[in-house]
Amino acid sequence: MKRILLSIVLIAFTLTNIFCCKAQGNVIELTSNEDLNYYLSNIAEINANSYSLFSDAIFINIFTVHDSKATPNNYFEGYDSVLQSVLITITPDGDYYTKSKLFKIEGLEAPKLIAIKEQQYPNFEITLESGPFKKRTTKSFILQVDF
């Protein structure tokens, strides 16, 4: 009797774990997506805050990545470094997958976000500071988002 009861408990426990684990998620390897793998493995700074524009109609996330592909040979004379790029994700409220946008501003040295300003919906302006320590410059970019 103990064996039958133990067998039933073990079977129930095994079935519960099988069904529970499947509901909790699956591991999907994305290594073959070389661009995604490149950017995620080179993230330098993750902006923990999501910026919202146009009364929460658009959400923006900004990531800074070390970008060896955008760094010309011998750009940093005398030491080993790479330029950075800024990745900007834009998602409209309520349609996160089909209409999201991704922009890249590349070839920046130690970029710093200065401002994000609304333009005519859904476009906006992003201002970045970059350059060597004593020669920092500020440049604005207008992102024209076509949803």
Side-chain angles (χ1 to χ4, degrees):
M1 184 69 170
K2 288 182 184 180
R3 286 184 184 178
I4 294 173
L5 188 57
L6 183 61
S7 296
I8 292 172
V9 170
L10 286 175
I11 290 171
F13 179 75
T14 303
L15 290 175
T16 303
N17 281 339
I18 289 172
F19 292 116
C20 286
C21 292
K22 286 190 177 195
Q24 293 180 10
N26 297 318
V27 175
I28 301 168
E29 185 173 356
L30 299 173
T31 304
S32 62
N33 188 332
E34 291 179 16
D35 287 335
L36 179 62
N37 193 13
Y38 172 79
Y39 291 124
L40 290 175
S41 65
N42 287 296
I43 289 177
E45 182 179 337
I46 299 173
N47 183 351
N49 296 324
S50 178
Y51 297 93
S52 65
L53 298 177
F54 305 105
S55 300
D56 292 340
I58 294 177
F59 296 95
I60 300 167
N61 286 300
I62 298 174
F63 305 89
T64 305
V65 295
H66 297 291
D67 198 350
S68 59
K69 293 180 180 180
T71 304
N73 290 336
N74 300 321
Y75 183 87
F76 291 97
E77 189 102 12
Y79 64 98
D80 188 27
S81 190
V82 295
L83 292 176
Q84 295 179 323
S85 292
V86 174
L87 299 176
I88 304 160
T89 65
I90 305 162
T91 53
D93 183 38
D95 201 357
Y96 302 108
Y97 301 106
T98 61
K99 293 187 179 181
S100 63
K101 301 290 183 179
L102 176 64
F103 291 93
K104 176 184 172 187
I105 302 171
E106 65 180 15
L108 303 170
E109 188 172 344
K112 178 182 176 187
L113 177 66
I114 301 299
I116 298 175
K117 296 180 187 173
E118 295 177 359
Q119 299 290 313
Q120 184 175 349
Y121 179 84
N123 305 323
F124 63 94
E125 178 181 22
I126 182 168
T127 304
L128 300 170
E129 178 185 81
S130 68
F133 179 68
K134 294 185 179 185
K135 297 180 183 177
R136 305 281 289 169
T137 59
T138 302
K139 187 169 183 181
S140 293
F141 304 88
I142 294 182
L143 298 180
Q144 299 191 3
V145 183
D146 184 22
F147 288 121

